Amino acid sequence: MERIVFSDIEMALVEYLTAELSGISDTAQVVTRVPDPRPARMVRVIRNDRKARLDVEDREGRRGAHLALDRPRLVLECTDDAGFAHELAANVRALVTAAAPGYIGEVWCDDVDDAGGENDMDPETDAPRYTIVVDLIVRGKILA
């Protein structure tokens, strides 16, 4: 019996965004957990598959014929204490959208569905925070 394993897409996306942002001279730190001390400019990557999707997957609980695919929902929180979180969010959205089809680290990504975003305030600093929500269609690896 074949077993399908899905890679850690959060860490792959952290590494991808770190490299891509540094390539455009952006100093934002990309993390999965907020470090102490908290960086002034940061992107936090969180996998949150519980955030509702309004499609057949949620209504009927089925994934379709492609059982080797995973569809992680990722929340990307962009903060900048200097007030430029909107620019960081625009760069992050463009970089993530441009990643597919292609590899994000060692993970093959077939497609990126932009599920929207919102802007609000960071509760700790009162600085603007932009949140981007994306679904990545990624392939699992078959272990024999």
Side-chain angles (χ1 to χ4, degrees):
M1 177 178 198
E2 293 178 340
R3 199 175 100 189
I4 300 170
V5 176
F6 297 104
S7 299
D8 185 2
I9 190 63
E10 280 176 299
M11 288 311 299
L13 191 57
V14 165
E15 292 169 8
Y16 169 79
L17 284 174
T18 298
E20 294 296 318
L21 286 170
S22 69
I24 59 172
S25 300
D26 193 314
T27 60
Q29 188 173 348
V30 185
V31 300
T32 57
R33 293 181 186 203
V34 179
D36 186 20
R38 185 182 161 283
R41 186 169 170 87
M42 173 182 71
V43 178
R44 184 166 71 151
V45 178
I46 308 160
R47 183 170 178 163
N48 185 354
D49 291 327
R50 292 178 179 255
K51 204 163 181 62
R53 293 182 179 96
L54 302 175
D55 57 15
V56 70
E57 226 176 88
D58 281 338
R59 283 191 319 272
E60 299 176 19
R62 61 184 164 101
R63 291 251 186 209
H66 304 292
L67 298 178
L69 295 180
D70 189 18
R71 187 175 160 193
R73 173 153 279 194
L74 294 163
V75 178
L76 309 167
E77 294 178 350
C78 302
T79 59
D80 184 355
D81 293 348
F84 296 102
H86 62 287
E87 290 177 4
L88 177 58
N91 288 338
V92 167
R93 176 174 267 142
L95 291 169
V96 171
T97 303
Y103 281 97
I104 297 175
E106 294 183 9
V107 180
W108 177 261
C109 182
D110 284 324
D111 196 12
V112 176
D113 287 335
D114 190 329
E118 52 187 64
N119 68 33
D120 60 2
M121 301 301 277
D122 187 306
E124 291 184 26
T125 64
D126 287 333
R129 174 176 64 185
Y130 287 80
T131 303
I132 303 164
V133 181
V134 294
D135 294 334
L136 302 182
I137 312 303
V138 299
R139 294 191 182 249
K141 293 181 181 179
I142 297 175
L143 299 178

